[in-house]
């Protein structure tokens, strides 16, 4: 059995869905279980409806939903059998409409936002299951929510592995074993009482990995719009090259620091069983892509010690300066307790003798953190920053590498430098507007032309 996940651009329109059908047809002997994202752009369009709801504008809400339904109708009509999905799509859209109308004039609650955000996956899977059937590939649509039971941290919910393992086997195996292709949603789940949740943006990769682990799949394929994990985001560095293989650790580092091609948690569920992840291009399905697995042979990219460079914008740096931390203990613990209490995730940390700098991505709960940190020392916050991560082999043991990196990024100002314990990454902070140029300069330095 294999798990095949198709991202938004791999199901963007009828042409993409035809390619998906071809890819799955070729894999039928391997019993594919299919995980699908929303059609490209649909999740953003759904989330954008929160504004007219808040503004109390029912016409704009209706127009937004109608446009999305029309897009699914157009796509469905171009696919044999696709139209059979439309009743279900329209019924879900009608339920969404009345839920949003009942919230007019106020901000959506987190649970309502998750219900809204997850509609795209419910629609896309209806369409794809119908299109597969229409093309003669027996397929069964399946609601993932009773399988993907999560906590109630809306927007970033965590699934309960025990429930997931049992239910995934109970619900999915019988379908796959009868030669049918189960088609289910990435990204979404539900609490034990059935309230819809989401696993965080880009979470379909994580869904696929969770199902892969639960079903002991022989591999998890992530079908996307690039030919694998690359030396940099090809949108920024057009000459970026594909890595033939990568380790879980390397992939997780790159994803954590902005390589959107993979959700940062994807490798986690697969580590114990050592199940490989293969990142593949749905437009060029015959390309080998990148295989991510524990025994990966990490080849050097030419003579470069660096394997890949990623960057992430929207970062805030929090600096704490406390002369009394010099020679005392318990200071870092006190500081991290503040972040923990407010559930603010810290990405990068750099510490000197009397000061600590750390980065956070989610600024929404930062104000109370800053207030409490002020009891420990002088605090200042810098917004609009980006993290750049350089991932390579044995970086810590490569003499002169740091100097080479920082020479290459000049004249950009480098602010927080951190080298992880793993010896595979070096991260630093730059101003957001400098991010793309810094990535391009580093790529040119370590991989040649841009
Ligand atoms: P999907 O909808 O298939 O999940 P995403 O848009 O989430 O696709 O992720 C694919 C995108 O990730 C690519 O189009 C590319 O621009 C971006 N990306 C960023 N960093 C990298 C990288 N190192 N390698 C490959 N793609 C990357
Ligand atoms: N559709 C969701 C998103 O846009 C999940 C995903 O694509 O993985 O974030
Ligand atoms: Mg994605």
């Amino acid at each position: 059995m294999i798990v095949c996940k198709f991202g938004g651009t791999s199901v963007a329109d009828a042409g993409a869905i035809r390619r998906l059908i071809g890819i799955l047809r070729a894999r039928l002997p391997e019993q594919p279980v299919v995980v699908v994202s929303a059609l490209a752009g649909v999740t953003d369009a759904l989330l954008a409806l929160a504004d007219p709801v808040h503004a109390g504008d029912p016409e704009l809400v209706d127009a937004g939903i109608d446009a999305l339904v029309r897009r699914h109708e157009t796509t469905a009509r171009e696919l044999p059998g696709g139209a059979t999905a439309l009743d279900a799509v329209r019924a879900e859209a009608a339920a969404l409409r009345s839920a949003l109308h009942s919230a007019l004039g106020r901000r959506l609650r987190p649970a309502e936002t998750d219900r809204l955000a997850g509609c795209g996956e419910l629609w896309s899977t209806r369409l794809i299951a119908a299109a597969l059937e229409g093309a003669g590939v027996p397929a069964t649509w399946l609601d993932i929510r009773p399988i993907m039971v999560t906590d109630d941290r809306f927007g970033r919910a965590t699934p309960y592995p025990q429930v997931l393992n049992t239910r995934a086997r109970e619900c999915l195996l019988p379908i796959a074993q009868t030669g049918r292709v189960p088609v289910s949603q990435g990204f979404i789940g539900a609490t034990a009482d059935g309230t819809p949740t989401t696993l965080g943006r880009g979470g379909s990769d994580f869904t696929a990995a969770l199902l892969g682990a639960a079903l002991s799949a022989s591999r998890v394929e992530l079908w996307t719009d690039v030919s694998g994990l690359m030396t940099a985001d090809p949108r920024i560095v057009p000459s970026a090259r594909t890595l033939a293989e990568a380790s879980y650790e390397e992939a997780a580092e790159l994803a954590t620091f902005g390589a959107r091609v993979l959700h940062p948690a994807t490798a986690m569920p697969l580590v114990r069983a050592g199940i490989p992840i293969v990142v593949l291009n749905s437009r060029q399905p015959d390309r080998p892509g990148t295989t991510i697995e524990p025994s990966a042979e990490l080849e050097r990219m030419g003579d470069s010690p660096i394997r890949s460079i990623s960057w992430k914008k929207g970062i805030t740096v929090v600096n704490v300066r406390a002369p009394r931390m010099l020679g005392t203990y318990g200071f870092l613990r006190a500081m991290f307790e503040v972040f923990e209490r407010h559930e603010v995730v810290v990405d990068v940390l750099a510490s000197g003798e009397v000061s600590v700098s750390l980065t956070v991505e989610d600024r929404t709960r930062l104000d109370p953190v800053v207030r409490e940190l002020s009891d420990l020392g002088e605090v200042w916050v810098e917004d609009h920053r980006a993290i750049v991560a350089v991932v390579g082999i044995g970086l810590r043991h490569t003499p002169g590498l740091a100097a080479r990196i920082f020479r290459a990024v000049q004249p950009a100002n480098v602010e927080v430098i951190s080298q992880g314990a793993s010896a595979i990454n070096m991260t630093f902070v730059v101003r957001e507007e400098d991010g793309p140029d810094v990535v391009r300069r580093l790529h040119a330095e370590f991989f040649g032309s841009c």
Side-chain angles (χ1 to χ4, degrees), residues 5-10 37 202 205 223-226 228-235 254 258-262 308-310:
K5 172 256 168 177
F6 292 85
T9 45
S10 300
S37 300
D205 303 324
W223 290 92
T224 184
D225 60 350
V226 288
L229 202 52
M230 306 181 77
T231 49
D233 184 344
R235 288 183 206 205
L254 287 171
R260 202 183 61 222
V261 63
L262 208 68
S308 187
I309 303 154
S310 59

Side-chain angles (χ1 to χ4, degrees), residues 5 7-8 37-38 43-44 121 186-187 200-205:
K5 172 256 168 177
S37 300
T43 312
D44 286 340
E121 271 70 9
F187 179 54
R201 294 305 305 269
S204 300
D205 303 324

Side-chain angles (χ1 to χ4, degrees), residues 417-439:
I417 303 167
S418 166
Q419 190 163 25
S422 62
I424 70 161
N425 97 31
M426 184 180 283
T427 50
F428 53 88
V429 172
V430 296
R431 289 179 179 279
E432 200 166 81
E433 65 267 25
D434 291 336
D437 252 1
V438 164
V439 172

